[in-house]
Amino acid sequence: AGVTAEDKEDGNITDKIKVVENTVNTSKAGTYTVKYEVTDSKGATTTKTIKITVEKLKVILHNKYINGYPDKTFRQENSITRGELSAMLARIILDGKPVPVTENKFSDISNDYWGKNEVNYLASKGILIGYEDGTFRPENPITRAEIATMLVRANTDIKKKIKAVFPDVNNEYWAKKYIDKANELGYMIGYEDGTFRPENPTTRAETVVTLNRIYRNPCDFKETNSSKIPFTDLDKNNWAYNDIIKATISHEHIEKK
């Protein structure tokens, strides 16, 4: 409780403090009593009582939103596909709830495609749009421009013109407003040379870092027990270790006030 004790003759006698009553229960909100006493070298004892308030903790469940491969690898350098990003974003938005079954809007999304419901759910919300020929092309690597577009559509509206930031994103580029907004919100940033490189693909590791920045921030979950790492190609010294773990293991986060 940060209690100290000073005596005119003995000086600092904090180490002589003895707690005689402590009703604090840190797992339950409330006001508790702590009674302590301290005795100086002459045998004089002073007793004090303090009140300690324990605030209610808000525990949030962060559901995992990406899986590894059947061979127990994560393959962080693989490019994320349009289908994979759609599934990840739908899982985050729904937060553990079942994916609603909606109308299939794309000619190349078959009934047995693993991410059919996730893709069509996001399409029903206007978060993603397919191509002019009616396809979605789920196995295509998703570009940085497409990711920026989906993230902005999922989280906000663009109500005013945004200052241009990137020299390689001209005014005619189809996703310019989404890229500028994603940068303004801190969702995605450019490279050291000032470019955004909108047509570049994004790796699986880069994707979870981006999504965690938006949807798992703050989050104090860190799994450092090597025996619990679910992937054979990941170790705790990996630059994206914490973000990959947060994305692939469901966990509780205690929200601090």
Side-chain angles (χ1 to χ4, degrees):
V3 175
T4 60
E6 292 283 341
D7 181 80
K8 288 183 179 179
E9 295 181 3
D10 298 335
N12 190 317
I13 54 173
T14 300
D15 60 343
K16 303 294 184 183
I17 293 174
K18 179 181 178 182
V19 176
V20 294
E21 181 184 347
N22 183 0
T23 65
V24 176
N25 180 356
T26 57
S27 64
K28 186 178 181 181
T31 301
Y32 300 93
T33 299
V34 176
K35 182 183 291 186
Y36 62 92
E37 63 183 24
V38 61
T39 303
D40 63 19
S41 59
K42 294 182 179 180
T45 299
T46 300
T47 301
K48 294 279 188 180
T49 299
I50 61 174
K51 299 289 185 180
I52 293 180
T53 299
V54 176
E55 296 183 349
K56 185 178 180 180
L57 298 177
K58 185 177 180 181
V59 179
I60 301 172
L61 176 62
H62 285 166
N63 291 290
K64 71 174 186 176
Y65 59 83
I66 184 174
N67 298 309
Y69 292 89
D71 63 357
K72 296 184 179 180
T73 60
F74 184 75
R75 307 180 197 175
Q76 71 175 58
E77 294 304 319
N78 281 17
S79 294
I80 206 84
T81 67
R82 286 167 56 84
E84 289 172 330
L85 192 280
S86 299
M88 294 162 68
L89 188 54
R91 290 168 188 157
I92 290 173
I93 292 171
L94 291 167
D95 198 23
K97 298 174 184 176
V99 183
V101 177
T102 57
E103 177 189 359
N104 188 359
K105 297 181 180 295
F106 306 106
S107 61
D108 60 340
I109 298 292
S110 63
N111 286 331
D112 59 357
Y113 176 66
W114 66 271
K116 171 179 176 286
N117 290 339
E118 288 86 349
V119 169
N120 283 297
Y121 169 72
L122 294 188
S124 73
K125 298 294 182 181
I127 295 171
L128 63 82
I129 299 172
Y131 294 90
E132 292 181 357
D133 63 359
T135 62
F136 180 69
R137 307 176 198 175
E139 298 307 319
N140 281 13
I142 194 166
T143 67
R144 284 171 52 81
E146 290 169 332
I147 292 175
T149 299
M150 290 175 64
L151 292 176
V152 170
R153 285 176 179 164
N155 289 284
T156 189
D157 295 322
I158 300 176
K159 297 180 179 179
K160 60 181 181 180
K161 187 175 181 180
I162 304 163
K163 181 182 178 182
V165 178
F166 304 107
D168 59 336
V169 180
N170 61 46
N171 289 334
E172 291 72 38
Y173 188 71
W174 70 271
K176 181 185 182 303
K177 66 179 181 180
Y178 296 107
I179 291 170
D180 289 341
K181 188 65 175 181
N183 177 75
E184 179 185 75
L185 294 172
Y187 291 174
M188 298 179 72
I189 57 178
Y191 292 90
E192 291 182 356
D193 64 358
T195 62
F196 186 78
R197 306 177 197 175
E199 296 300 314
N200 277 18
T202 303
T203 67
R204 286 165 60 83
E206 290 169 334
T207 301
V208 297
V209 169
T210 297
L211 292 176
N212 286 347
R213 185 185 300 131
I214 302 168
Y215 297 103
R216 298 289 185 267
N217 184 24
C219 177
D220 55 10
F221 179 72
K222 294 181 180 180
E223 180 52 75
T224 56
N225 186 337
S226 297
S227 66
K228 294 184 179 180
I229 298 175
F231 308 111
T232 58
D233 58 344
L234 178 68
D235 69 77
K236 63 183 180 181
N237 295 316
N238 187 291
W239 72 271
Y241 171 81
N242 282 334
D243 281 293
I244 292 171
I245 290 297
K246 290 174 186 177
T248 56
I249 298 177
S250 295
H251 57 274
E252 290 184 343
H253 164 68
I254 298 175
E255 188 175 83
K256 298 176 182 178
K257 295 184 178 181

